[in-house]
Amino acid sequence: QVQLVESGGGLVQPGGSLRLSCAASGSIFSINTMGWYRQAPGKERESVASISSGGSTSYANSVKGRFTISSDNAKNTVYLQMNSLKPEDTAVYYCTASIRASVWKTFSIYWGQGTQVTVSS
């Protein structure tokens, strides 16, 4: 069984910063890609950023230059450093990962439970 547990969400003023963390645990043989999605009220879930096991990153245009994704492969953990936050960044942020649970299995997509980020004065 694989679990993704997020932490680091909260309330922050516009222009502020937050750092999200997501740790994968359980039966893990290898991890391909980890990333973050977000879903604002009344909107569809959207990709925010992702990072491959080799360190390649990609970002949504709306967060480029403000958010930075990184990972610690030894800890199976991915981070999202969010700077210059705007009210439109308010959403539930979900961690996702492509994980192979054992040598006999293929990669599957796993999701965390989500963490609320609210940007408001």
Side-chain angles (χ1 to χ4, degrees):
Q1 193 79 343
V2 174
Q3 286 188 322
L4 300 180
V5 179
E6 301 118 331
S7 61
L11 173 64
V12 64
Q13 292 186 342
S17 299
L18 280 176
R19 188 191 194 210
L20 305 183
S21 299
C22 172
S25 63
S27 177
I28 299 173
F29 177 73
S30 65
I31 298 178
N32 184 13
T33 303
M34 300 187 80
W36 294 91
Y37 278 67
R38 67 185 181 186
Q39 187 167 21
K43 294 187 177 181
E44 294 187 354
R45 191 173 295 190
E46 62 175 357
S47 177
V48 176
S50 66
I51 185 167
S52 72
S53 58
S56 298
T57 59
S58 65
Y59 297 92
N61 287 334
S62 59
V63 306
K64 281 182 180 177
R66 300 188 298 121
F67 291 11
T68 302
I69 190 169
S70 61
S71 63
D72 185 334
N73 293 339
K75 296 182 178 180
N76 294 331
T77 299
V78 63
Y79 307 96
L80 186 66
Q81 178 66 43
M82 305 185 293
N83 299 329
S84 303
L85 283 161
K86 305 175 181 179
E88 50 263 44
D89 294 318
T90 296
V92 177
Y93 283 70
Y94 297 90
C95 173
T96 182
S98 174
I99 295 174
R100 189 177 180 187
S102 74
V103 67
W104 298 282
K105 295 186 177 181
T106 59
F107 284 95
S108 297
I109 303 299
Y110 295 88
W111 292 87
Q113 80 285 355
T115 185
Q116 177 70 46
V117 171
T118 302
V119 185
S120 175
S121 56

